[in-house]
Amino acid sequence: MSQTPPVPDTLPASETPGSELAGKVALVTGGARNIGACISLALAAGGASVAINTRASRAQADALVARIAAGGGKAGAWLADIGERDAVRAMVDGVLDRFGRIDILVLNASVRNECAFLELPYDDWRRVMATTLDGAFHCTQACLPSMIAGGAGALVTLGGLNALSGAKRRIHGSVAKGGLVAFTRGIAREFAEQGVRANCVVPGQVLTERAAHRSPRAEPKGLIPLGRGGQPEEIAATVRFLCGPGASFITGQTVHVNGGQLMA
């Protein structure tokens, strides 16, 4: 009987101290919990100053700021609903006042819930679109001028596997994530000449706190060639790489981090 392959010992590499992002400032939406928190830590470990956005998890954001500061990094927390334009503008102004620039934008925030399509309230549909797509619009439009002024920038969006495979009871989330891929490619095309790169990272089955509260589904191991679910740190390591100089010739791409569950 085969055993599940172990998580590699090198997994914490996303938090390994480095300097490839030194002098850069990153804004991470939904950056206080789960994958977002790991991304915030990974970028800080790479040397970036990190602005952590959260809509409601203030205590977790403050704890993360303290953790980054304890490791010698710089970070701050901003409470804002990114689906609201004025809130985003105020947040970005605050980040610029604090750190002087924004070089990296990671669009991780999203609303995830499940509902049969014929029972799906329009308000829930709009709430998902507002956070994922309106939020992408507001945040990117607010941050791009600083990136362009600095001569370079990196946008990384977090997509969803269901946007390609489809999913019952999550059509609204799948549609929003599919739109985010198109948004990312459009930004990559339009702002390449200004030195701005844009890429989308699509996680597969990831073992997060949020996953424990989802409705029961079939055991994924048989669907994943590597035989296990992913760790949030593995997603964060990919985001960190795409924000750094090692990815200087990568833009407009959709990067799947899923253990082989989908090969595209």
Side-chain angles (χ1 to χ4, degrees):
M1 182 177 178
S2 61
Q3 295 182 340
T4 300
V7 176
D9 292 338
T10 56
L11 180 60
S14 63
E15 288 193 48
T16 301
S19 60
E20 80 274 15
L21 301 178
K24 304 295 186 182
V25 176
L27 170 59
V28 182
T29 69
R33 301 176 60 240
N34 294 310
I35 292 174
C38 289
I39 292 171
S40 296
L41 290 169
L43 297 181
S49 299
V50 182
I52 300 168
N53 157 259
T54 180
R55 184 179 62 85
S57 303
R58 185 64 197 234
Q60 290 170 303
D62 288 342
L64 202 56
V65 168
R67 179 174 172 180
I68 290 171
K74 296 179 180 179
W78 276 265
L79 201 67
D81 182 342
I82 64 168
E84 298 181 3
R85 182 178 181 84
D86 290 344
V88 169
R89 290 289 178 176
M91 173 179 67
V92 169
D93 286 346
V95 174
L96 292 173
D97 287 344
R98 169 79 178 273
F99 294 118
R101 59 191 295 165
I102 295 175
D103 307 278
I104 296 166
L105 172 61
V106 180
L107 293 171
N108 169 74
S110 63
V111 177
R112 298 174 177 87
N113 58 19
E114 298 185 8
C115 183
F117 179 72
L118 292 179
E119 300 170 6
L120 179 65
Y122 178 67
D123 286 348
D124 285 2
W125 171 275
R126 279 303 317 150
R127 187 162 63 95
V128 169
M129 300 303 160
T131 299
T132 302
L133 295 180
D134 293 355
F137 174 84
H138 297 323
C139 291
T140 305
Q141 198 171 68
C143 291
L144 272 173
S146 181
M147 296 181 185
I148 294 170
L155 167 69
V156 178
T157 61
L158 273 290
L161 194 60
N162 293 326
L164 294 174
S165 64
K168 294 179 179 179
R169 302 178 61 84
R170 283 183 285 165
I171 290 177
H172 45 334
S174 299
V175 169
K177 290 296 189 178
L180 198 59
V181 173
F183 177 85
T184 305
R185 291 174 179 170
I187 295 295
R189 287 281 187 189
E190 186 162 342
F191 295 95
E193 292 183 0
Q194 287 94 336
V196 177
R197 297 180 298 105
N199 294 287
C200 182
V201 173
V202 182
Q205 296 276 356
V206 179
L207 306 176
T208 66
E209 174 187 328
R210 180 185 290 114
H213 299 288
R214 291 178 181 168
S215 63
R217 292 196 294 275
E219 176 61 46
K221 293 177 182 177
L223 303 177
I224 302 175
L226 287 183
R228 63 173 178 84
Q231 297 290 327
E233 291 85 354
E234 291 175 299
I235 309 303
T238 304
V239 173
R240 174 176 168 178
F241 167 72
L242 288 172
C243 292
S248 58
F249 200 53
I250 302 175
T251 194
Q253 303 304 306
T254 301
V255 181
H256 293 276
V257 188
N258 58 36
Q261 183 176 357
L262 175 71
M263 300 188 186

